[in-house]
PDB file of all heavy atoms in Angstrom:
ATOM      1  N   ASN Y 110      45.376 -29.252  53.912  1.00 73.00           N
ATOM      2  CA  ASN Y 110      45.879 -27.896  54.124  1.00 73.00           C
ATOM      3  C   ASN Y 110      46.575 -27.373  52.874  1.00 73.00           C
ATOM      4  O   ASN Y 110      47.780 -27.200  52.830  1.00 73.00           O
ATOM      5  CB  ASN Y 110      46.833 -27.881  55.326  1.00 73.00           C
ATOM      6  CG  ASN Y 110      47.228 -26.460  55.697  1.00 73.00           C
ATOM      7  OD1 ASN Y 110      46.514 -25.513  55.376  1.00 73.00           O
ATOM      8  ND2 ASN Y 110      48.358 -26.329  56.373  1.00 73.00           N
ATOM      9  N   GLU Y 111      45.781 -27.132  51.829  1.00 82.00           N
ATOM     10  CA  GLU Y 111      46.340 -26.661  50.573  1.00 82.00           C
ATOM     11  C   GLU Y 111      45.272 -25.880  49.817  1.00 82.00           C
ATOM     12  O   GLU Y 111      44.138 -26.342  49.652  1.00 82.00           O
ATOM     13  CB  GLU Y 111      46.820 -27.837  49.724  1.00 82.00           C
ATOM     14  CG  GLU Y 111      47.478 -27.438  48.424  1.00 82.00           C
ATOM     15  CD  GLU Y 111      48.035 -28.639  47.678  1.00 82.00           C
ATOM     16  OE1 GLU Y 111      48.289 -29.667  48.324  1.00 82.00           O
ATOM     17  OE2 GLU Y 111      48.216 -28.536  46.451  1.00 82.00           O
ATOM     18  N   ASP Y 112      45.619 -24.682  49.349  1.00 88.00           N
ATOM     19  CA  ASP Y 112      44.666 -23.848  48.610  1.00 88.00           C
ATOM     20  C   ASP Y 112      44.379 -24.435  47.236  1.00 88.00           C
ATOM     21  O   ASP Y 112      45.252 -25.012  46.593  1.00 88.00           O
ATOM     22  CB  ASP Y 112      45.209 -22.435  48.418  1.00 88.00           C
ATOM     23  CG  ASP Y 112      45.300 -21.654  49.718  1.00 88.00           C
ATOM     24  OD1 ASP Y 112      44.762 -22.137  50.724  1.00 88.00           O
ATOM     25  OD2 ASP Y 112      45.903 -20.567  49.716  1.00 88.00           O
ATOM     26  N   GLU Y 113      43.115 -24.293  46.792  1.00 93.00           N
ATOM     27  CA  GLU Y 113      42.768 -24.548  45.398  1.00 93.00           C
ATOM     28  C   GLU Y 113      43.026 -23.272  44.601  1.00 93.00           C
ATOM     29  O   GLU Y 113      42.723 -22.178  45.066  1.00 93.00           O
ATOM     30  CB  GLU Y 113      41.289 -24.903  45.252  1.00 93.00           C
ATOM     31  CG  GLU Y 113      40.884 -26.207  45.855  1.00 93.00           C
ATOM     32  CD  GLU Y 113      39.392 -26.453  45.648  1.00 93.00           C
ATOM     33  OE1 GLU Y 113      38.722 -25.632  44.990  1.00 93.00           O
ATOM     34  OE2 GLU Y 113      38.911 -27.463  46.170  1.00 93.00           O
ATOM     35  N   SER Y 114      43.558 -23.407  43.425  1.00 94.00           N
ATOM     36  CA  SER Y 114      43.844 -22.230  42.618  1.00 94.00           C
ATOM     37  C   SER Y 114      43.634 -22.541  41.141  1.00 94.00           C
ATOM     38  O   SER Y 114      44.042 -23.600  40.656  1.00 94.00           O
ATOM     39  CB  SER Y 114      45.293 -21.759  42.840  1.00 94.00           C
ATOM     40  OG  SER Y 114      45.575 -20.600  42.079  1.00 94.00           O
ATOM     41  N   VAL Y 115      42.974 -21.613  40.444  1.00 97.00           N
ATOM     42  CA  VAL Y 115      42.750 -21.740  39.012  1.00 97.00           C
ATOM     43  C   VAL Y 115      43.321 -20.501  38.330  1.00 97.00           C
ATOM     44  O   VAL Y 115      43.035 -19.375  38.745  1.00 97.00           O
ATOM     45  CB  VAL Y 115      41.252 -21.881  38.683  1.00 97.00           C
ATOM     46  CG1 VAL Y 115      41.015 -21.798  37.178  1.00 97.00           C
ATOM     47  CG2 VAL Y 115      40.713 -23.190  39.220  1.00 97.00           C
ATOM     48  N   GLU Y 116      44.108 -20.698  37.286  1.00 97.00           N
ATOM     49  CA  GLU Y 116      44.702 -19.585  36.555  1.00 97.00           C
ATOM     50  C   GLU Y 116      43.735 -19.110  35.468  1.00 97.00           C
ATOM     51  O   GLU Y 116      43.213 -19.921  34.696  1.00 97.00           O
ATOM     52  CB  GLU Y 116      46.030 -20.001  35.924  1.00 97.00           C
ATOM     53  CG  GLU Y 116      47.115 -20.294  36.946  1.00 97.00           C
ATOM     54  CD  GLU Y 116      48.417 -20.677  36.286  1.00 97.00           C
ATOM     55  OE1 GLU Y 116      48.435 -21.731  35.612  1.00 97.00           O
ATOM     56  OE2 GLU Y 116      49.401 -19.932  36.431  1.00 97.00           O
ATOM     57  N   THR Y 117      43.513 -17.796  35.426  1.00 97.00           N
ATOM     58  CA  THR Y 117      42.692 -17.203  34.382  1.00 97.00           C
ATOM     59  C   THR Y 117      43.422 -15.991  33.802  1.00 97.00           C
ATOM     60  O   THR Y 117      44.453 -15.566  34.331  1.00 97.00           O
ATOM     61  CB  THR Y 117      41.308 -16.774  34.901  1.00 97.00           C
ATOM     62  OG1 THR Y 117      41.410 -15.562  35.660  1.00 97.00           O
ATOM     63  CG2 THR Y 117      40.691 -17.868  35.775  1.00 97.00           C
ATOM     64  N   MET Y 118      42.853 -15.428  32.742  1.00 96.00           N
ATOM     65  CA  MET Y 118      43.499 -14.311  32.067  1.00 96.00           C
ATOM     66  C   MET Y 118      42.453 -13.315  31.589  1.00 96.00           C
ATOM     67  O   MET Y 118      41.457 -13.688  30.963  1.00 96.00           O
ATOM     68  CB  MET Y 118      44.296 -14.838  30.857  1.00 96.00           C
ATOM     69  CG  MET Y 118      44.932 -13.772  29.993  1.00 96.00           C
ATOM     70  SD  MET Y 118      45.869 -14.488  28.605  1.00 96.00           S
ATOM     71  CE  MET Y 118      44.551 -15.192  27.616  1.00 96.00           C
ATOM     72  N   VAL Y 119      42.671 -12.044  31.904  1.00 95.00           N
ATOM     73  CA  VAL Y 119      41.849 -10.956  31.377  1.00 95.00           C
ATOM     74  C   VAL Y 119      42.724 -10.126  30.445  1.00 95.00           C
ATOM     75  O   VAL Y 119      43.846  -9.757  30.803  1.00 95.00           O
ATOM     76  CB  VAL Y 119      41.302 -10.067  32.506  1.00 95.00           C
ATOM     77  CG1 VAL Y 119      40.474  -8.917  31.927  1.00 95.00           C
ATOM     78  CG2 VAL Y 119      40.463 -10.882  33.481  1.00 95.00           C
ATOM     79  N   LYS Y 120      42.202  -9.828  29.256  1.00 95.00           N
ATOM     80  CA  LYS Y 120      42.968  -9.024  28.303  1.00 95.00           C
ATOM     81  C   LYS Y 120      42.126  -7.853  27.814  1.00 95.00           C
ATOM     82  O   LYS Y 120      40.964  -8.021  27.440  1.00 95.00           O
ATOM     83  CB  LYS Y 120      43.421  -9.863  27.105  1.00 95.00           C
ATOM     84  CG  LYS Y 120      44.360  -9.101  26.166  1.00 95.00           C
ATOM     85  CD  LYS Y 120      44.999 -10.006  25.132  1.00 95.00           C
ATOM     86  CE  LYS Y 120      45.996  -9.235  24.270  1.00 95.00           C
ATOM     87  NZ  LYS Y 120      46.666 -10.100  23.284  1.00 95.00           N
ATOM     88  N   ALA Y 121      42.720  -6.678  27.861  1.00 95.00           N
ATOM     89  CA  ALA Y 121      42.079  -5.462  27.362  1.00 95.00           C
ATOM     90  C   ALA Y 121      42.788  -5.012  26.101  1.00 95.00           C
ATOM     91  O   ALA Y 121      44.013  -4.974  26.050  1.00 95.00           O
ATOM     92  CB  ALA Y 121      42.130  -4.364  28.421  1.00 95.00           C
ATOM     93  N   GLU Y 122      42.001  -4.665  25.085  1.00 96.00           N
ATOM     94  CA  GLU Y 122      42.542  -4.131  23.832  1.00 96.00           C
ATOM     95  C   GLU Y 122      42.189  -2.647  23.742  1.00 96.00           C
ATOM     96  O   GLU Y 122      41.016  -2.271  23.871  1.00 96.00           O
ATOM     97  CB  GLU Y 122      41.957  -4.871  22.630  1.00 96.00           C
ATOM     98  CG  GLU Y 122      42.297  -6.356  22.574  1.00 96.00           C
ATOM     99  CD  GLU Y 122      43.730  -6.613  22.146  1.00 96.00           C
ATOM    100  OE1 GLU Y 122      44.402  -5.653  21.709  1.00 96.00           O
ATOM    101  OE2 GLU Y 122      44.174  -7.771  22.249  1.00 96.00           O
TER     102      GLU Y 122
END
Side-chain angles (χ1 to χ4, degrees):
N110 188 23
E111 183 175 338
D112 292 350
E113 292 180 3
S114 181
V115 171
E116 293 181 296
T117 76
M118 175 179 68
V119 179
K120 187 170 184 178
E122 297 285 350

